[in-house]
């Protein structure tokens, strides 16, 4: 159990509050002279009919709040402050981490609950750009966070594989397509003919008609058109798969927009039956005045379906197939209105599951000191960002003997640079609140001393090297002998123990707010406090064997915690540098 839960248990025993209420009311005081955990007594003033300071006085004196690890309990205004015994705290914190190992932070909150996380969702035949990387990285991290808390997670990739543009692509491919180029660099070739289509269309308007007809044939399942579309889709997916592999990302299914297209008539029938579908300028819409939203278009005036209708169908499908606890859409904030409309239509139609649909938005991606060969529409392709990051990391590692172990093979150095370089990109996406725009700057993201993945990975590798050295010297870590762990009572040791013990709480908060950055922040705090301790304390020297082995155990707990934190963010660590 983590300490916050221990405190909650004492409070629950003393006050009769439920564990959950007690746990969620506990605050972390801003200054250490106010204790390590605080309980706000105003929560009880109504039931006890007493002023909070009076309750605080009485509660602080309650013997039920005493425990071996509680140094003192003090009333301060309307708060009860808990001071935790340093050595004991460290002992519990370190053994909690080491007994859990890489499953540290695991909880059962989600047992029996299915959460759908939809993320990535790029468009077929279009480049995978840095905005798609944002949803991919966030969604991947959120999936792992939910899993850690015991939910069963379904990872969905809602591919943009449907729409009139595929009629255009078919027309364009028949006229100018290059089979060989399509096989080698599919997305590049598809983009080339797509751009050409739009240029040619200006001179030859009849092309638009041909494209429309091709799209109709595709919709009606004509074999030739379907075959071409299938090829475009498969080749695009093959290219996306390379990126997913580099990011370590995977999906349970790729039910894209096309998957839902034949479910739209049922949606239309349902909305009609409920009397919700109105005629407006030839289109069929659902009015959403009571939600203070503009009408949601379900069918366009030419009878074709739109993006929103496919999303409505997708919610109903997912509810039927998975009976989800939550259905999460990790999609950029510009689509916030779209999702509010979709969820509101379902709510209006009486579907309770509408309340369990969540749009997790995020900001824009910007660049400070980087030059990229931007393609159509000024987009930056993720692949180039990753390549550049790995190349620059390799330069840094090679030029810096302090970072790099000099006896490493070229392959190993390359492998490290790959993990660190890709980690640096991933971390930049998850280090701040997701609604904020992110700004890429090489100088910042590759700073081995900054708030970066290189810093975390480097710290991890350093801690691992201490463990290896200790093993060589025959020093054993103390975690099996609890008594020695209580020797970790210096402020710097306690600070590290405190940070690792707060990781499970950070994971829960990250889940509740869908903000992986809370884990990034906690992991960075663990690394910072550990480095401070490491720089000031000779871990493996001295003659006090017990103390050495206790410090070693702390070091091991730091490795495990950083490993868990980075794993939940989707970043790989390396064993040495
Ligand atoms: N394919 C869309 C895009 O690239 C994102 C799809 C988001 N998901 C959804 N269910 N609408 O912008």
């Amino acid at each position: 159990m983590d300490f916050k839960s221990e405190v909650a248990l004492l409070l629950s025993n003393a006050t009769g509050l439920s564990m959950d209420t007690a746990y969620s009311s506990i605050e972390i005081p801003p200054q250490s002279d106010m204790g390590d955990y605080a309980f706000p007594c105003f929560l009880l003033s109504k039931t006890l009919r007493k002023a909070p300071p009076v309750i605080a006085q009485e509660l602080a004196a309650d013997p039920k709040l005493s425990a071996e690890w509680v140094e003192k309990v003090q009333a301060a205004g309307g708060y009860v402050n808990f001071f935790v015994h340093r050595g004991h705290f460290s002992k519990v914190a370190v053994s909690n981490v080491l007994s859990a190992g890489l499953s540290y932070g695991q909880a059962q909150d989600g047992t029996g609950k299915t959460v759908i996380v939809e993320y990535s969702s790029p468009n077929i035949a279009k480049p995978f750009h840095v905005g798609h990387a944002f949803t991919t990285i966030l969604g991947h991290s959120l999936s792992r966070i939910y899993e850690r808390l015991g939910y069963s997670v379904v990872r969905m990739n809602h591919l943009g594989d449907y729409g009139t543009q595929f009629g255009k692509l078919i027309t364009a491919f028949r006229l100018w397509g290059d089979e060989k180029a399509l096989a080698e660099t599919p997305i590049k070739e598809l983009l080339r003919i797509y751009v050409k289509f739009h240029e040619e269309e200006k001179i030859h308007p009849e092309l638009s008609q041909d494209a429309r007809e091709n799209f109709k044939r595709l919709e009606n399942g004509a074999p030739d058109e379907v075959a071409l579309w299938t090829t475009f889709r498969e080749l695009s997916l093959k290219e996306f798969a390379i990126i997913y592999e580099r990011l370590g990302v995977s999906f349970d299914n790729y039910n894209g927009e096309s998957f839902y297209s034949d479910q739209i008539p049922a949606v239309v029938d349902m909305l009609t039956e409920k009397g919700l579908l109105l005629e407006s300028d030839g289109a069929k819409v659902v009015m959403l005045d009571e939600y203070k939203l503009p009408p949601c278009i379900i069918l366009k005036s030419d009878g074709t379906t739109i993006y929103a209708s496919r999303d409505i169908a997708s919610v109903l499908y997912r509810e039927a197939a998975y009976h989800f606890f939550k259905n999460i859409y990790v999609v950029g904030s510009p689509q916030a209105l779209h999702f509010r409309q979709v969820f509101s239509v379902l709510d209006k139609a009486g579907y309770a599951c509408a309340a369990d649909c969540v749009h997790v938005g995020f900001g824009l991606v910007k660049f400070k000191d980087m030059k990229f060969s931007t393609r159509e529409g000024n987009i930056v392709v993720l692949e180039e960002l990753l390549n550049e990051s790995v190349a620059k990391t390799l330069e840094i590692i090679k030029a810096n003997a302090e970072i790099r172990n000099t006896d490493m093979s070229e392959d190993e150095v390359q492998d490290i640079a790959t993990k660190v370089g890709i980690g640096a990109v991933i971390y930049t996406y998850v280090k701040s609140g997701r609604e904020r725009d992110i700004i890429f700057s090489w100088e910042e993201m590759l700073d081995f001393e900054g708030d970066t993945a290189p810093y975390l990975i480097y710290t991890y590798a350093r801690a691992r090297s201490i463990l290896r050295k200790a093993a060589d010297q025959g020093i054993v870590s103390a975690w099996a002998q609890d008594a020695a762990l209580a020797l970790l009572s210096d402020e710097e040791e306690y600070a590290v123990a405190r940070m690792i013990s707060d990781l499970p709480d950070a994971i829960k908060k990250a889940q509740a707010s869908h903000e992986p950055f809370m884990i990034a922040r906690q992991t960075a705090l663990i690394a910072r406090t550990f480095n401070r301790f490491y720089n000031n304390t000779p871990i493996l020297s001295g003659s006090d064997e017990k103390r050495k082995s206790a410090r070693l155990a702390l070091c091991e707990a730091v490795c495990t915690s950083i490993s868990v934190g980075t794993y939940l963010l989707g970043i790989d660590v390396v064993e040495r540098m």
Side-chain angles (χ1 to χ4, degrees):
M1 202 165 13
D2 66 317
F3 263 88
K4 194 171 163 183
S5 307
E6 304 263 10
V7 174
L9 191 61
L10 294 184
L11 278 167
S12 162
N13 285 340
T15 63
L17 288 174
S18 73
M19 256 305 269
D20 275 355
T21 315
Y23 183 90
S24 57
S25 62
I26 294 171
E27 295 173 16
I28 310 284
Q31 287 150 244
S32 60
D33 61 348
M34 296 160 80
D36 303 304
Y37 296 98
F39 174 71
C41 295
F42 68 87
L43 285 176
L44 298 170
S45 52
K46 223 173 170 176
T47 36
L48 296 179
R49 295 168 186 280
K50 285 179 193 163
V54 179
I55 302 173
Q57 289 293 343
E58 290 174 5
L59 198 54
D62 190 330
K64 284 195 187 123
L65 291 191
S66 54
E68 189 198 358
W69 51 273
V70 179
E71 197 160 83
K72 61 182 177 191
V73 185
Q74 233 171 30
Y79 282 86
V80 170
N81 294 333
F82 289 81
F83 292 77
V84 172
H85 185 277
R86 298 305 188 233
H88 191 90
F89 185 99
S90 303
K91 179 176 105 178
V92 173
V94 170
S95 42
N96 276 347
V97 177
L98 295 179
S99 56
L102 291 178
S103 25
Y104 184 51
Q106 214 163 55
Q108 266 72 53
D109 309 28
T111 309
K113 295 176 182 148
T114 299
V115 170
I116 294 175
V117 184
E118 184 213 287
Y119 60 103
S120 201
S121 311
N123 301 319
I124 292 303
K126 295 269 177 66
F128 195 100
H129 59 71
V130 292
H132 289 125
F134 210 153
T135 141
T136 307
I137 287 161
L138 268 181
H140 178 53
S141 171
L142 288 172
S143 303
R144 287 187 167 177
I145 292 169
Y146 268 98
E147 263 169 2
R148 177 101 353 186
L149 298 179
Y151 294 87
S152 99
V153 175
V154 182
R155 295 159 159 87
M156 288 199 152
N157 194 332
H158 189 83
L159 289 177
D161 59 0
Y162 193 83
T164 48
Q165 70 271 27
F166 292 100
K168 297 178 189 173
L169 273 175
I170 292 171
T171 298
F173 190 73
R174 285 178 176 153
L175 290 170
W176 316 294
D178 175 342
E179 294 275 359
K180 194 161 162 267
L182 184 70
E184 276 162 14
T185 47
I187 292 179
K188 199 169 159 213
E189 172 63 2
L190 290 169
L191 191 63
R192 180 188 72 83
I193 59 172
Y194 191 66
V195 171
K196 188 170 167 79
F197 179 92
H198 285 282
E199 282 161 7
E200 296 282 328
E201 196 186 21
K202 288 182 205 135
I203 322 161
H204 306 286
E206 66 279 9
L207 286 174
S208 328
Q209 184 57 29
D210 189 65
R212 261 197 302 277
E213 280 161 18
N214 281 333
F215 178 61
K216 264 252 114 46
R217 276 195 285 273
L218 176 65
E219 269 204 301
N220 295 333
D224 290 352
E225 283 71 19
V226 170
L228 268 181
W229 171 85
T230 307
T231 310
F232 298 160
R233 188 179 189 276
E234 275 169 8
L235 291 175
S236 302
L237 267 179
K238 231 164 122 183
E239 226 177 298
F240 297 150
I242 299 170
I243 291 180
Y244 292 145
E245 173 152 7
R246 288 182 89 177
L247 295 175
V249 170
S250 62
F251 297 92
D252 296 303
N253 85 57
Y254 292 83
N255 288 349
E257 291 186 43
S258 67
F259 178 84
Y260 300 102
S261 70
D262 64 1
Q263 299 169 31
I264 304 232
V267 171
V268 172
D269 288 350
M270 178 274 289
L271 292 172
T272 311
E273 250 164 56
K274 298 196 170 163
L276 300 181
L277 216 49
L278 301 183
E279 189 87 26
S280 165
D281 293 330
K284 300 253 199 255
V285 305
V286 174
M287 302 303 289
L288 297 172
D289 296 325
E290 63 272 50
Y291 298 89
K292 298 198 169 49
L293 294 173
C296 182
I297 303 175
I298 306 293
L299 288 175
K300 284 195 286 195
S301 48
D302 61 2
T304 52
T305 64
I306 64 159
Y307 187 54
S309 22
R310 292 190 284 279
D311 264 326
I312 292 170
S314 82
V315 175
L316 295 177
Y317 171 83
R318 293 172 188 187
E319 173 60 5
Y322 299 102
H323 191 60
F324 55 75
F325 171 72
K326 268 196 181 113
N327 176 26
I328 298 169
Y329 295 85
V330 186
V331 182
S333 295
Q335 294 196 33
L337 174 62
H338 161 77
F339 285 107
R340 278 164 61 208
Q341 287 180 299
V342 167
F343 305 158
S344 299
V345 167
L346 288 159
D347 183 64
K348 190 166 177 170
Y351 289 96
C353 65
D356 303 320
C357 294
V358 190
H359 171 222
V360 171
F362 53 82
L364 302 173
V365 182
K366 296 175 177 166
F367 297 91
K368 204 155 121 192
D369 53 359
M370 303 180 181
K371 289 271 169 293
F372 290 102
S373 56
T374 52
R375 298 185 203 166
E376 197 214 11
N378 252 1
I379 57 165
V380 176
V381 178
L382 177 66
E383 207 187 340
E384 287 186 37
L385 180 67
L386 294 179
N387 290 347
E388 192 72 17
S389 184
V390 171
K392 286 210 179 323
T393 306
L394 190 61
E395 262 172 49
I396 294 173
I397 296 178
K398 283 193 164 166
N400 205 327
E402 217 176 280
I403 297 175
R404 184 175 50 100
N405 205 322
T406 38
D407 62 356
M408 282 191 304
S409 71
E410 190 66 28
D411 277 359
E412 195 177 350
V413 177
Q414 181 68 48
D415 178 59
I416 290 168
T418 303
K419 289 192 170 125
V420 174
I422 291 178
V425 171
I426 295 177
Y427 193 80
T428 308
Y429 281 103
V430 292
K431 68 179 264 196
S432 326
R434 58 184 158 78
E435 309 263 9
R436 280 176 48 184
D437 293 349
I438 53 170
I439 302 164
F440 275 99
S441 136
W442 293 128
E443 207 189 314
E444 271 169 52
M445 67 196 265
L446 298 179
D447 178 356
F448 276 66
E449 296 291 320
D451 181 16
T452 62
Y455 174 73
L456 294 182
I457 300 173
Y458 185 43
T459 303
Y460 175 84
R462 276 221 296 216
R464 293 297 291 175
S465 92
I466 298 170
L467 296 180
R468 281 192 300 272
K469 221 179 275 170
D472 288 347
Q473 296 175 17
I475 306 170
V476 267
S477 127
W479 81 276
Q481 322 146 30
D482 273 2
L485 290 179
L487 293 171
L488 297 167
S489 59
D490 287 357
E491 275 310 311
E492 280 179 355
E493 291 161 341
Y494 167 73
V496 179
R498 176 76 198 224
M499 290 309 160
I500 60 179
S501 87
D502 283 344
L503 184 61
D505 197 39
I507 298 173
K508 292 196 180 200
K509 287 193 175 123
Q511 177 269 316
S513 55
H514 298 120
E515 287 284 15
F517 95 87
M518 294 186 167
I519 294 172
R521 187 178 55 190
Q522 193 61 36
T523 312
L525 283 170
I526 293 168
R528 285 276 159 231
T529 49
F530 173 73
N531 277 318
R532 199 172 309 135
F533 159 68
Y534 170 90
N535 288 333
N536 296 331
T537 314
I539 297 180
L540 296 183
S541 53
S543 56
D544 187 340
E545 293 304 320
K546 272 200 164 154
R547 202 170 281 279
K548 267 198 277 191
S549 65
R551 287 179 173 154
L552 203 59
L554 183 62
C555 195
E556 206 178 329
V558 164
C559 286
T560 304
S561 307
I562 294 180
S563 234
V564 167
T566 47
Y567 169 81
L568 293 175
L569 299 171
I571 295 168
D572 285 339
V573 286
V574 301
E575 292 304 303
R576 59 176 202 156
M577 269 201 200

